[in-house]
Amino acid sequence: MMRHHPIDANQLSQKWDVIVVGGGINGSAIARDAALRGLKVLVLEKEDISSGTSAWSTRLIHGGLRYLEYFEFYLVRESLAERERLLRNAPHLVKPLGMAFPFYKQNRRPAWMIRMGMILYDVLSYDKSLDHHHILSPQQVFEQVGALNPEGLSGAAMYYDCQVAYAERLSVENILSAKEQGATFLNYARVKRFILDGNRVCGVEFEDLLEQKTYSVSADLVVNVGGPWVDEVLKGVGKPLKRLIGGTKGSHLVVPVFPGAPKIAVYFEARADGRPMFVIPWTGRILIGTTDLPYQGDLDHVEIDDEEITYLMNETNGIFPSAQINLDKILYTYSGIRPLPYVGEKKTAAITRRHIIHDHTPEVEGLISIIGGKLTTFRNLAEQCVDLIGKKLNRPLKPCVTNKVHLPGAGEGNFVEFQNQFIAKSGFERDIASHLTEIYGARAEKILALIQKEPKLKERLHPGDTTIGAEVIFAFEEEQAETIQDVLLRRCMGGYNDSAGLNILDPAIQIAGDYFGWDKERREQEKEAYQKYIQRYRPKLLRQP
Ligand SMILES: Cc1cc2nc3c(=O)[nH]c(=O)nc-3n(C[C@H](O)[C@H](O)[C@H](O)COP(=O)(O)OP(=O)(O)OC[C@H]3O[C@@H](n4cnc5c(N)ncnc54)[C@H](O)[C@@H]3O)c2cc1C
């Protein structure tokens, strides 16, 4: 397939300060921070921005109440501080989310323990803009939360965290910002091996998976941010290195809003095993998760299994008896692998969620690998990693500014004011205007400008769907999409509608095909590739005979 954004071999031949392997949330944030601090950065991603674990999370920007159980006070404080920064720097993507933790007689953790945890959570977020926790009576639970199972219910703790409904867009915006600062990003560029000079990494060889060409690029330093693939990437060093990742699998169900569904997120103990679970309102649907299972399978194809579906359905029906979720109600599922540190046989829930920035010196020079890391803490991880890069390059870097600098879609003014004005004045129907500002933030203006040039791109891809034609073109022209899959799953986010994007696939291909002059073969290729990929979501549309 021909690249929409051709690779400039000449530009690649320069010596880079840093090559970042992996365009998930952590790789894209490291690239952004490094570029903002004046480094020449090349990012190589074997699929697309945020096509790995960063797309498979529960989409919470949270302190992680449960980590208090494991005395991870530093991690909780770090996460809560990052949550606050994200509310400031990415208000279009990160929104406050009410959470309720119900007290059940049968809970393994007694109510007093949860209340202690809540107090500690408030103390650790002393500088937050969100409200402190408070306690709800059973009656208030039914009124303010949803139709929870009344049996054994004595109330709930109500507190606040945040949700990033379109987590993929956080990575996209980090890459856009890195590019604004001069970084180069290539998707469908798989790093095959490291180029070594003695014991020192001095570059990588990568394959352009779209045009089947191989390139060698040189750099002073390489950062391996391959998420669960970190050990796979390290095989490219060509000598045995100790195992770093012990990934665990986590799966989610997506179902339509059911009678008595929660109005805010519910965080509860699974009856079967006491594990923490979530039932969360998400993009007009309900997101249910997760599992936490050791995983040795194919990292490139992770799919929910039947036992996980049964577990998630049973637990949800247990706490929301009116949900009556059965296989037929599931719109789709998604699963991913947590890139946790390898710790042998330790209980999966007890493995730390803190990140480790692993400098391979003296085994291998010029190479850093990232182990673990939550979505929530990407900014801080990136800052620490770039501090280390500066030390290793022995070069004074500009100070880190990601603490204050907004992501591109946040704009500079008050986002809510911008959004209200856009909804009132853009001329789009209200649901479309609201969708555009939630996906692109202040950059929704650019979609408007595109429509002024091409008015027919104003049309919805499907009646009742908020994605419009202009977004397809915008993804290719402004956000470095290469395929329709990139567009639907990681740019306009239409791939997460009720039909997992299958109802907007043909129109999206037609719009891109007509605009860019794709031939029949390319159109068929795009359709087949999307349908094949989306099977891992087990979407309802493809489950039916
Ligand atoms: C089920 C689940 C729920 C979670 N929920 C939350 C949550 O609610 N909140 C939270 O804060 N965190 C959550 N997390 C954790 C969080 O999602 C991850 O820790 C984070 O997304 C990891 O990002 P990453 O960039 O390190 O890895 P990834 O997103 O996996 O990125 C690694 C990238 O490297 C690329 N790559 C791999 N090999 C190569 C190669 N050879 N060449 C080029 N590129 C390569 C991959 O394609 C991939 O895109 C959850 C994780 C899971 C699995």
Side-chain angles (χ1 to χ4, degrees), residues 22 25-26 45-46 53-54 58 60 191 225 228 373-376:
I25 188 62
N26 290 325
E45 162 55 54
K46 76 176 169 62
T53 310
S54 302
T58 310
L60 293 173
V191 170
V225 205
K374 294 167 64 189
L375 188 65
T376 307

Side-chain angles (χ1 to χ4, degrees), residues 1-2 210 509 519-531:
M1 187 187 286
M2 230 176 68
L210 295 179
I509 292 172
D519 59 16
K520 189 162 170 264
E521 192 191 344
R522 168 77 190 259
R523 292 172 198 234
E524 280 168 3
Q525 237 179 348
E526 290 281 359
K527 184 166 178 170
E528 235 173 78
Y530 188 85
Q531 284 175 334

Side-chain angles (χ1 to χ4, degrees), residues 247-251 291-296 305 308 337-338 348:
T248 72
K249 181 186 183 193
S251 296
T291 51
D292 194 4
L293 303 163
Y295 186 77
Q296 320 289 346
D305 55 47
E308 289 179 284
I337 305 301
R338 299 176 182 86
T348 50

Side-chain angles (χ1 to χ4, degrees), residues 3 21 44-47 186-193 204-209 213-215 232-233 300:
R3 275 187 179 269
V21 183
L44 300 171
E45 162 55 54
K46 76 176 169 62
E47 262 182 67
L186 296 179
N187 39 8
Y188 300 98
R190 186 175 70 87
V191 170
K192 293 194 329 192
R193 65 174 196 94
V204 301
E205 190 179 281
F206 75 88
E207 188 184 356
D208 170 358
L209 297 174
K213 289 184 194 154
T214 298
Y215 297 86
E232 286 294 314
V233 174
D300 290 320

